[in-house]
Amino acid sequence: MIKVAGLIKRFGGQAVLDGIDLAIEQGEIVVIIGPSGTGKSTLLRCLNFLERPDAGRLTIGDMEVDVTRATRADILTARRRTAFVFQNYALFANKTALENIAEGLIVVNRWPKARAHARAREILERIGLADKADAYPASLSGGQQQRVGIGRAMAAQAEVILFDEPTSSLDPEWVEEVLGLMKRLAAERQTMLVVTHEMSFARDVADRVIFMEGGRIVEQGPPDQLFGAPKDPRTRDFLRQVLATQVALDVPE
Ligand SMILES: Nc1ncnc2c1ncn2[C@@H]1O[C@H](COP(=O)(O)OP(=O)(O)O)[C@@H](O)[C@H]1O
Ligand SMILES: [Mg+2]
């Protein structure tokens, strides 16, 4: 389980996260939606200390810390238990697909190279890129690069994979293959926290959808409820705007 309570993050005096309480069960698929600039990325980044939060308690598995007092060891533990999939893939340009997936196992988990490479080959099979083991990122399509990014997160065997708009940088033709891989992971009950604007993915795959605005969770619920009967006017406004540009889904007035 991963849980935050009273999470606050300020930038220059302004609270970008203004008291977030969130618990995700093992095997749960949670999608976060909300306008841009609302703190979604900052929330994900705080969960593995890419940003240092200003207040709150963080629980990941058997680790529980006051985030302002987290030691270096706590931060390493949080990073080992949360894997991150970035919008812009963040692959090493000078490493092959196989090496990108193996790197964390070697550096963070201290696996011998041969074992890490064997595991990376298994992952490449699972993400449908066995024939691209020796390819460098520049020779891969955006969709393939992001599948490697997801493969790297899979290799980490983290408690939760955090996805920050994993398809937003992709040309439209690559979106489905990345969403397809994420759907397979969801079907295997990999715990996932996904920030996305892909509403049909949220509707089909999420156990729970969270609407955030202004650094707060405004509303959350199962997708049928959040999309079909949103309670807060801010949720309704946001859904109407987003869905106007996407697949037609009815949002009641
Ligand atoms: N490193 C930073 N320094 C200062 N302000 C930041 C930083 N990162 C994010 N912000 C600000 O925090 C707010 C939330 O950003 P972000 O979490 O990226 O929102 P979202 O992912 O929902 O679009 C924005 O106003 C953004 O400009
Ligand atoms: Mg963001």
Side-chain angles (χ1 to χ4, degrees):
M1 192 194 59
I2 176 164
K3 182 176 166 189
V4 286
L7 187 68
I8 292 174
K9 174 65 186 173
R10 296 187 193 92
F11 285 119
Q14 199 206 338
V16 163
L17 296 177
D18 196 11
I20 299 281
D21 298 311
L22 173 63
I24 301 170
E25 298 300 327
Q26 194 177 344
E28 200 180 9
I29 318 299
V30 177
V31 167
I32 300 179
I33 61 174
S36 121
T38 236
K40 306 181 299 296
S41 295
T42 304
L43 171 58
L44 262 48
R45 294 168 64 81
C46 281
L47 294 178
N48 72 349
F49 291 97
L50 286 172
E51 300 286 355
R52 188 59 129 120
D54 291 299
R57 290 196 77 76
L58 174 65
T59 309
I60 307 178
D62 61 7
M63 180 195 80
E64 190 189 348
V65 286
D66 175 335
V67 291
T68 60
R69 293 188 185 169
T71 61
R72 201 170 157 68
D74 294 328
I75 292 172
L76 282 175
T77 300
R79 291 200 178 139
R80 257 189 220 116
R81 293 179 183 184
T82 55
F84 214 102
V85 175
F86 297 89
Q87 183 175 342
N88 62 0
Y89 333 130
L91 301 179
F92 293 111
N94 62 343
K95 291 190 189 296
T96 63
L98 179 106
E99 289 166 344
N100 265 285
I101 293 172
E103 180 72 7
L105 296 174
I106 295 168
V107 174
V108 180
N109 300 43
R110 301 188 184 280
W111 285 21
K113 191 169 160 186
R115 184 179 171 209
H117 280 203
R119 173 100 177 110
R121 279 188 204 285
E122 287 170 24
I123 303 268
L124 283 164
E125 289 277 349
R126 286 177 63 199
I127 63 177
L129 291 176
D131 58 333
K132 297 293 185 188
D134 299 323
Y136 288 88
S139 70
L140 299 174
S141 74
Q144 289 170 336
Q145 288 183 62
Q146 189 57 299
R147 280 150 66 197
V148 172
I150 293 172
R152 177 178 54 189
M154 290 161 67
Q157 294 189 291
E159 300 239 350
V160 59
I161 302 182
L162 309 170
F163 294 82
D164 192 4
E165 299 200 35
T167 60
S168 296
S169 297
L170 295 173
D171 289 336
E173 71 245 58
W174 310 126
V175 169
E176 280 312 314
E177 69 183 55
V178 170
L179 293 179
L181 175 56
M182 291 169 66
K183 283 179 189 171
R184 293 212 322 267
L185 286 179
E188 293 167 12
R189 304 318 292 178
Q190 163 69 54
T191 313
M192 293 161 61
L193 180 58
V194 184
V195 173
T196 186
H197 294 292
E198 295 286 341
M199 296 298 147
S200 54
F201 173 85
R203 179 158 236 181
D204 293 347
V205 177
D207 298 309
R208 178 155 49 110
V209 181
I210 293 175
F211 173 67
M212 264 182 78
E213 194 178 85
R216 293 189 178 168
I217 292 176
V218 171
E219 179 169 0
Q220 59 182 310
D224 282 353
Q225 180 194 314
L226 197 108
F227 292 119
K231 293 191 185 82
D232 195 285
R234 290 168 293 178
T235 316
R236 288 200 290 269
D237 285 348
F238 175 78
L239 288 175
R240 225 178 270 120
Q241 278 170 34
V242 173
L243 294 176
T245 66
Q246 294 191 13
V247 189
L249 293 173
D250 290 331
V251 183
E253 289 296 316

